[in-house]
Amino acid sequence: QVQLVESGGGLVHDGGSLRLSCGASPTIFRLCNLAWYRQAPGKQRELVAEFTSGGYTNYAAFVKGRFTLSRDNANSAVYLKMEDLKPEDTAKYYCNADGCTRSVRGRSYWGQGTQVTVSS
């Protein structure tokens, strides 16, 4: 069974930075299309950043160069470095991935989320 666990959220001031981590167990190598989503109160969950099937990174328009998506295969982790955070970035951030190996293909996995709050 695959589990995704996020960490790194917190309270920061306008303009601050955070780095979110998503640990995949038992291994990241069962997963593909790794992505970060966010959901603010009263709003729909939206894509923040993702690794595409072609191996590229894709960012939502609102990121505007402020966030960086990366992965560490050795530690089975995906990171989202967020800089110049704004109050409108306040949301719960979720890690998401699709199962890609035979035992997990066709499944989508979500973490429990980590809260990011940006004060003005």
Side-chain angles (χ1 to χ4, degrees):
Q1 182 69 4
V2 171
Q3 280 193 316
L4 301 175
V5 179
E6 303 97 334
S7 61
L11 171 64
V12 296
H13 291 298
D14 191 349
S17 301
L18 285 171
R19 190 180 80 152
L20 305 184
S21 300
C22 172
S25 62
T27 174
I28 202 171
F29 293 107
R30 292 187 181 180
L31 304 172
C32 57
N33 302 330
L34 292 140
W36 285 94
Y37 285 76
R38 72 184 188 184
Q39 188 168 21
K43 294 188 177 182
Q44 287 191 325
R45 192 171 294 189
E46 59 183 353
L47 177 69
V48 177
E50 64 178 342
F51 287 106
T52 69
S53 57
Y56 298 99
T57 52
N58 178 48
Y59 296 94
F62 59 76
V63 169
K64 296 181 181 177
R66 300 180 297 129
F67 298 176
T68 304
L69 182 66
S70 62
R71 64 185 287 167
D72 180 350
N73 289 337
N75 290 302
S76 286
V78 178
Y79 305 104
L80 184 68
K81 183 179 179 182
M82 306 187 295
E83 299 174 297
D84 190 24
L85 283 162
K86 305 176 187 303
E88 52 264 40
D89 293 316
T90 295
K92 197 162 190 180
Y93 284 70
Y94 296 88
C95 184
N96 170 258
D98 295 329
C100 279
T101 58
R102 185 167 56 184
S103 63
V104 294
R105 188 168 291 131
R107 300 180 188 181
S108 182
Y109 297 94
W110 292 91
Q112 82 290 348
T114 186
Q115 179 67 37
V116 172
T117 303
V118 185
S119 63
S120 58

